[in-house]
Amino acid sequence: MSSLLADAHRRLQEALKYVSISEDAIERLKYPKISLTVSIPVRMDDGSLKVFQGYRVRYDDTRGPGKGGIRFHPNVTLDEVQSLAFWMTFKCALLNLPFGGAKGGITVNPKELSKAELERLSRGYIEAIADFIGPDKDIPAPDVYTNEIIMGWMMDQYNTIRRCICPAVITGKPLSMGGSKGRDTATAMGAFYVISHILPRFGKTPPQTTVAVQGFGNAGSEIAELLGKAGYKVVAVSDSRGGIYSPHGLDIPSIREYKRKHMSLKGVYCQESVCSIVEHEVITNEELLTLDVDVLIPAALEKQITEKNAPQVKARFIFEVANGPITADADTILEEKGVVVFPDILVNAGGVTVSYLEWVQNRLGYYWSLSEVQSRLKERILEETNRIWQIHQELGLSFRTCAYIHALSRLNEAMSARGTREYYISQ
Ligand code: GLU
């Protein structure tokens, strides 16, 4: 089995030691249900034709239609998409959403494409996977380097193919095309609810808590701002090109404004306007991960904390806003060091939870206010956080293992409802 998926499976193996699950469920969860690889021909602006590789994987749909984002990144592989679909399966079960797990991706550096090329690529991807998705089959959404405009193009393309107006086929759409209020900030909002609910239980109040955030995309920049506004001391942030650190705390809104204008944090230090507000040191991404802070938030890509740098991590708490930022080997090292890790399938589940609310609103044809959406998100994510906390109190295991145990029992229930070995052999 490929490496990232094998690594993801190790968490499942760990949880299986503590729950009694039917053999059928174990067998089903070993393999993705469907993995589709497509080639997408795109006419480039210079007249040439380029073919891109795309994927859509439905890992499991026992609890409902597949659900999960679409990633545009140069490192996308089938192995990565399968692992992300595996995590979505557990995330949706953990949050008790009526969905299975899926994921998609295209191997591309979207920063190298013009807007028109990006549109043709997005529409071409839907052309290739249209038979595979649908409001009752598999519902895509945004992920790394995809956004609401891309979701809008994709929905539009699906509608053209199916000759329908089917907003529930994709979530994370622009508001005017059936998107939900609060979806754009949902991942960070969910993480914020979890973090601000958990830290006081460890006796940490915002002004005494220093935070470093790796990744300054949709989720990373938003969580940095939310925590800063709530009084936490956000001392370091970074994007793919590097980061900045100030022990006195950073002014996140002005850094976001800089990034919005210049597309990069690199150079933030030499801009007069920002320099005057923020005094800081320039650091690398690697350095950010090992800073002496209370809370570390990886909000970029997977496999950032491995067995190589885990021994140097000094943070006391890690909240995984990215999917899979810590490898299974690194988990063991962090646990031995006493670092408390809150897992991705809980911490970043705000995104898919509001996607669910978007799907419900599309099917109802009735749209909720921002406060309605946020209170539903808060209620659901904190209910599951409390459940994981309870399992942790009962079993004394890591929060990751407790989250997997909880999700597994829901998956097991749905799989067992279709009949188990015991059922068939009993008289
Ligand atoms: N890409 C996000 C995730 O990894 C959101 C998925 C969704 O909204 O379906 O959870």
Side-chain angles (χ1 to χ4, degrees), residues 67-69 88 91 103 139 141-143 171 183 323 348 351-352 355:
K67 185 85 195 80
M88 286 308 302
K91 199 186 296 183
K103 203 80 175 198
I139 306 122
D143 195 73
T171 58
R183 176 62 186 86
N323 287 307
N348 73 26
V352 70
S355 273

